[in-house]
Amino acid sequence: MTLIVRTEERGVATLTLDSPANRNALSARLVAQVRDALADCAGDDTVRAVLLTHTGSTFCAGADLKAPPDPAAFVALMRQIVALPKPVVARVTGHVRAGGLGLLAACDIAVAGEGASFALTESRLGLAPAVISLTLLPRVDRAAANRYYLTGERFDAAEAARISLVTEAAENVDQALAPVLDGLRRASPQGLAASKKLVTATVLRGFDQYAEDLVVRSAALFASDEAKEGMTAFLERRDPAWVR
């Protein structure tokens, strides 16, 4: 089953997450297909930049609780986006939850529409935003990270822009993206690759230093009794046992 649709226009390869049945959740299959598509773009000299977008009302619902990816595989996907020698731009017109925010934060530029919403729901499931901290914490305002990591509250596109999760909140996403994509088309491949290396160097060092430990932490949390209760409650649409 193909979960990623690729199209191309004037040097910009658009990768569309196309798994609406599970709200583009991060299944093992979807993660593998995104990785393959990005590798193809990296090796394609006609591609100047990658635009990551989605079908349906959800950009990404986070981990697929019925078929979650191996944490190491998801870390590899985020690192691949950060290290890709071509800019990756996110186009978000829907909801983003949990691990989806890690995917979004790995992108170089992100524009979100008025209908977008965001939430780090892990703490409500007995989990934590462990591996996605590799891309989120270097990007997001520290006070905002403290609040949204702990409370799991939902916030809108304007707040996402205020805390630097996205580059811009826009009424018309495609109109806002037009000058961005035009700028990338005007840049040289060498200039883009060298410039991206400068702005991602610190993030990549974080992957090298902390990824292994965070993968272990994530796996331990997913295997815990508390997380099993949280995920079961979510799937059964009820409050978990600890809610007061």
Side-chain angles (χ1 to χ4, degrees), residues 120 153 166 218 234:
L120 289 159
E153 292 171 273
V166 302
S218 180
F234 175 80

Side-chain angles (χ1 to χ4, degrees), residues 24-123:
N24 296 318
L26 294 164
S27 63
R29 180 174 293 177
L30 184 136
V31 166
Q33 290 189 19
V34 176
R35 291 194 67 194
D36 289 345
L38 288 169
D40 288 343
C41 290
D44 188 341
D45 291 339
T46 69
V47 174
R48 186 65 52 83
V50 176
L51 181 66
L52 186 64
T53 188
H54 60 101
T55 58
S57 62
T58 302
F59 175 79
C60 180
D64 185 341
L65 299 184
K66 295 180 180 178
D70 178 72
F74 183 50
V75 167
L77 169 59
M78 292 190 294
R79 194 185 198 286
Q80 183 182 14
I81 293 172
V82 175
L84 202 77
K86 303 175 183 185
V88 180
V89 180
R91 175 188 179 276
V92 181
T93 59
H95 310 301
V96 192
R97 297 290 183 269
L101 275 75
L103 183 67
L104 175 63
C107 298
D108 302 292
I109 300 168
V111 177
E114 290 183 326
S117 72
F118 309 82
L120 289 159
T121 54
E122 288 90 343
S123 66

Side-chain angles (χ1 to χ4, degrees), residues 1-238:
M1 183 183 298
T2 301
L3 304 179
I4 305 298
V5 176
R6 174 177 168 175
T7 57
E8 192 169 334
E9 182 180 359
R10 295 178 53 220
V12 176
T14 298
L15 303 182
T16 303
L17 305 181
D18 188 25
S19 183
N22 67 353
R23 301 188 302 150
N24 296 318
L26 294 164
S27 63
R29 180 174 293 177
L30 184 136
V31 166
Q33 290 189 19
V34 176
R35 291 194 67 194
D36 289 345
L38 288 169
D40 288 343
C41 290
D44 188 341
D45 291 339
T46 69
V47 174
R48 186 65 52 83
V50 176
L51 181 66
L52 186 64
T53 188
H54 60 101
T55 58
S57 62
T58 302
F59 175 79
C60 180
D64 185 341
L65 299 184
K66 295 180 180 178
D70 178 72
F74 183 50
V75 167
L77 169 59
M78 292 190 294
R79 194 185 198 286
Q80 183 182 14
I81 293 172
V82 175
L84 202 77
K86 303 175 183 185
V88 180
V89 180
R91 175 188 179 276
V92 181
T93 59
H95 310 301
V96 192
R97 297 290 183 269
L101 275 75
L103 183 67
L104 175 63
C107 298
D108 302 292
I109 300 168
V111 177
E114 290 183 326
S117 72
F118 309 82
L120 289 159
T121 54
E122 288 90 343
S123 66
R124 300 187 180 193
L125 299 176
L127 302 168
V131 297
I132 65 174
S133 291
L134 292 164
T135 57
L136 278 170
L137 292 183
R139 183 173 191 134
V140 172
D141 172 82
R142 182 60 181 269
N146 288 347
R147 175 174 178 171
Y148 295 121
Y149 265 49
L150 297 173
T151 67
E153 292 171 273
R154 185 171 63 182
F155 54 95
D156 62 13
E159 175 70 352
R162 186 191 72 80
I163 67 175
S164 299
L165 173 62
V166 302
T167 312
E168 182 179 352
E171 267 186 54
N172 187 317
V173 172
D174 293 321
Q175 185 175 324
L177 281 170
V180 173
L181 298 179
D182 180 64
L184 297 179
R185 289 180 172 113
R186 290 174 181 275
S188 82
Q190 176 177 280
L192 287 175
S195 297
K196 179 167 176 174
K197 268 190 174 182
L198 293 173
V199 295
T200 59
T202 301
V203 181
L204 290 174
R205 283 198 293 271
F207 273 86
D208 295 339
Q209 293 175 7
Y210 305 119
E212 187 175 344
D213 175 61
L214 290 171
V215 165
V216 172
R217 287 199 221 179
S218 180
L221 285 168
F222 267 93
S224 68
D225 289 340
E226 205 160 290
K228 289 174 184 175
E229 162 63 10
M231 290 186 285
T232 300
F234 175 80
L235 293 172
E236 293 178 353
R237 298 177 181 272
R238 60 172 174 82

